[in-house]
Amino acid sequence: MAEKVIKVDDIDGAEGGDVAKRDFQVLGRTFTIDLSDDNFSRLNGTLDALAPFIENAVEVKPAGKGRKSPAAKIKGYTNGDVRAWALRSDIEVSERGKISDEVYAAFIEAHPDAKPEA
């Protein structure tokens, strides 16, 4: 039993003996594509034309999450102490996660010794 492999150009769908897997690099990343000799020549010409633009451009990185100002720190107490006090004082506070700045401020007002150092 014989098998016949038909190579097809990924750009124009042409079949041919000159179609082969072709690797190329852009911005340090390697890609592969099945191309005929003609389309591979076109690809290389395009990459050569782009090269001066890429070499002279500056990469724009996606914006990250903005940094919020650090939450008010308390002196001599834990977050567990703040949560327990808030619950006893009927102040809404999450069981886990970030404690709001308003809750910290209320705790510090009720506990002047917890005032953070500036």
Side-chain angles (χ1 to χ4, degrees):
M1 173 185 209
E3 289 184 16
K4 183 176 182 181
V5 176
I6 300 173
K7 296 181 181 180
V8 178
D9 188 299
D10 289 337
I11 297 300
D12 60 17
E15 299 174 7
D18 66 338
V19 175
K21 277 208 181 311
R22 315 288 180 135
D23 292 345
F24 64 98
Q25 288 192 335
V26 176
L27 300 173
R29 295 174 57 196
T30 302
F31 299 87
T32 190
I33 189 170
D34 292 335
L35 293 176
S36 65
D37 290 341
D38 287 342
N39 280 335
F40 188 55
S41 179
R42 285 181 46 214
L43 170 63
N44 285 325
T46 301
L47 293 174
D48 290 343
L50 283 175
F53 296 97
I54 293 171
E55 289 169 8
N56 290 291
V58 177
E59 182 178 359
V60 177
K61 298 196 178 191
K65 291 184 177 180
R67 299 188 119 217
K68 291 185 176 182
S69 60
K73 300 285 184 196
I74 52 174
K75 188 169 73 174
Y77 295 91
T78 66
N79 285 343
D81 296 332
V82 174
R83 287 183 207 284
W85 170 83
L87 291 171
R88 285 191 311 271
S89 302
D90 293 325
I91 296 174
E92 190 174 323
V93 64
S94 63
E95 291 181 24
R96 295 179 9 188
K98 184 181 182 305
I99 298 173
S100 73
D101 292 341
E102 292 80 13
V103 173
Y104 278 121
F107 183 85
I108 290 169
E109 189 175 315
H111 303 83
D113 61 320
K115 187 171 184 171
E117 296 174 10

